Amino acid sequence: QMEMWDITVTAKTETINWSRILTTIYLVGAFLAAGKLIGGWIRINTIRQNSIHVDHGDYTLVLTDSHHLPFSFLGSVYCSEDFYQNSRDIHQILTHEEFHVRARHSLDVIFLEILKVIFWFNPMVYLYKNELTQVHEYQADHAAYQLSSRKQYGKLLLTHMESVMTLNLANHFFNSQLKNRFKMMTKKTS
């Protein structure tokens, strides 16, 4: 007796491995976001190393040679030495930045930047960061315009609308939408 065997040969078809493609896209996006975060950190540390440090008790004032408007990061307020020497509004601006330091707003920003590395594809992270930055500015504005009138502080914001240098991790004095900041300054607190 002889057995009959049916042998079927099938051609192997190439299938697209979507999970590998999506993983690669995710990792590329995460690496780019992480590179931006690390680059910002390095840039701030480079500015800090080449500057004069003045202890102000609650914060360290870092006077730099580069031309930029004041910003804060962690326990320091960074200010161009030229701007520090020549600005008549420096006290109000430093009060604004000091509030960012005391309220530890940089920790919020760093946390959100880490979330942006992990969830770079999610637009909600970017919207949340923008809204939180806006709230930080409202709070710091409130502290700064207590030193003078709201009108005078509003004029200060208008005269210094654009900064030459912006850093991703820093809290800048002039980074938020001015219209919304003016609205918040004129609202009565509840």
Side-chain angles (χ1 to χ4, degrees):
Q1 282 191 1
M2 195 176 219
E3 286 187 36
M4 297 287 271
W5 293 28
D6 283 335
I7 299 175
T8 308
V9 177
T10 57
K12 186 177 178 182
T13 59
E14 291 289 323
T15 59
I16 297 174
N17 190 343
W18 287 106
S19 64
R20 180 174 284 172
I21 290 171
L22 292 176
T23 301
T24 302
I25 291 170
Y26 172 79
L27 290 175
V28 167
F31 282 126
L32 290 174
K36 187 176 178 182
L37 174 66
I38 292 168
W41 194 280
I42 290 170
R43 194 168 171 198
I44 290 175
N45 282 331
T46 302
I47 291 170
R48 185 177 182 82
Q49 289 174 355
N50 302 325
S51 303
I52 300 167
H53 301 230
V54 180
D55 184 24
H56 274 253
D58 291 341
Y59 66 95
T60 301
L61 178 63
V62 180
L63 297 173
T64 67
D65 290 335
S66 55
H67 180 68
H68 61 85
L69 293 173
F71 65 90
S72 61
F73 182 68
L74 295 176
S76 300
V77 173
Y78 295 76
C79 184
S80 167
E81 191 171 5
D82 181 52
F83 186 81
Y84 182 75
Q85 300 293 336
N86 298 322
S87 176
R88 355 178 221 118
D89 306 312
I90 193 66
H91 184 63
Q92 250 183 332
I93 294 171
L94 290 180
T95 301
H96 177 100
E97 294 304 329
E98 181 183 0
F99 183 85
H100 284 302
V101 170
R102 281 188 286 118
R104 295 187 173 98
H105 287 165
S106 294
L107 296 178
D108 292 341
V109 172
I110 291 170
F111 176 70
L112 284 169
E113 288 296 323
I114 291 170
L115 284 180
K116 282 171 57 177
V117 169
I118 298 167
F119 300 109
W120 62 267
F121 55 88
N122 190 340
M124 293 305 292
V125 175
Y126 299 92
L127 293 173
Y128 185 69
K129 182 181 183 221
N130 288 340
E131 290 300 315
L132 186 63
T133 302
Q134 194 75 24
V135 170
H136 286 170
E137 292 305 315
Y138 296 155
Q139 292 171 339
D141 285 343
H142 181 73
Y145 71 67
Q146 299 302 315
L147 299 174
S148 66
S149 70
R150 293 176 189 191
K151 184 177 180 180
Q152 182 184 356
Y153 188 72
K155 286 180 182 178
L156 169 66
L157 289 176
L158 284 174
T159 57
H160 300 289
M161 278 180 24
E162 291 295 320
S163 175
V164 174
M165 176 178 61
T166 58
L167 298 169
N168 205 22
L169 294 175
N171 294 301
H172 294 275
F173 180 64
F174 306 106
N175 71 340
S176 294
Q177 299 172 355
L178 284 177
K179 182 179 177 183
N180 291 338
R181 288 172 75 177
F182 285 135
K183 282 182 187 177
M184 285 304 289
M185 284 192 297
T186 58
K187 280 187 177 181
K188 293 185 181 185
T189 56
S190 59

